[in-house]
Amino acid sequence: MKEQILTPVFSPQKILVVALGLAIAIALVALLIYQIRMADPYVRSVLSLNGRIAQGNAIFQMNCSGCHGQQANGKVGPSLRGVAERRSQISLIHQITSGKTPPMPEFQVSPEEMADLLSYLKTL
Ligand code: HEC
């Protein structure tokens, strides 16, 4: 008796269509997450304010320099040089308020103070 072995055929077109579909799905999910985060009233009010760099520096020295260093070039926590170029404002806000990366604590910061902090982080 002869055995029938079926070899599946993967056409390059099919793979391309599936890959394209996946890419679109991922983009949509990313867009959705961005929209949800942007809709957060806290994020909106932070982004609507003009932060003051000097105030942000003062807040940083009191709350953050113990871990990130007085010049923000790293100690227990990583250096924050150029961090505002690498990460979006929303992800920075999330980083500071979430405490999801221990040992960095969760900070409760008023929108004004957060705007100040962000404007300071942008100078690094
Ligand atoms: C107890 C120590 C500690 C304190 C206080 C602290 N951090 Fe952090 N921070 C960390 C550590 C550790 C990480 C790295 C977490 C990780 O991703 O593994 C981090 C990460 C970060 C990052 C992300 C850096 C990157 O490269 O993406 C930012 C931004 C940040 N901290 C800002 C702040 C700010 C602003 C404050 C003050 C309001 C603060 N941190 C206070 C320990 C601290």
Side-chain angles (χ1 to χ4, degrees):
M1 201 171 71
K2 211 175 152 211
E3 272 187 45
Q4 293 263 317
I5 299 169
L6 301 174
T7 40
V9 184
F10 292 113
S11 71
Q13 283 94 334
K14 257 191 199 162
I15 294 172
L16 201 72
V17 168
V18 170
L20 216 71
L22 271 177
I24 292 172
I26 291 169
L28 281 177
V29 169
L31 192 73
L32 194 75
I33 292 173
Y34 180 79
Q35 295 289 339
I36 290 171
R37 283 190 171 182
M38 273 308 276
D40 181 349
Y42 178 75
V43 170
R44 290 174 76 103
S45 62
V46 170
L47 297 182
S48 72
L49 293 163
N50 286 320
R52 296 151 299 175
I53 295 169
Q55 300 286 331
N57 186 2
I59 296 167
F60 184 86
Q61 295 309 332
M62 283 214 283
N63 300 283
C64 324
S65 63
C67 288
H68 291 284
Q70 286 184 344
Q71 310 297 321
N73 41 16
K75 234 167 145 187
V76 183
S79 164
L80 299 180
R81 298 258 154 214
V83 75
E85 283 153 34
R86 277 188 288 113
R87 295 185 53 168
S88 71
Q89 304 221 66
I90 297 181
S91 90
L92 288 175
I93 294 172
H94 191 67
Q95 168 81 40
I96 296 165
T97 55
S98 77
K100 278 194 189 125
T101 54
M104 178 154 159
E106 179 179 330
F107 288 94
Q108 289 193 335
V109 191
S110 72
E112 289 76 18
E113 290 169 331
M114 183 60 84
D116 294 344
L117 256 179
L118 287 181
S119 59
Y120 172 69
L121 291 179
K122 281 186 213 152
T123 67
L124 296 173

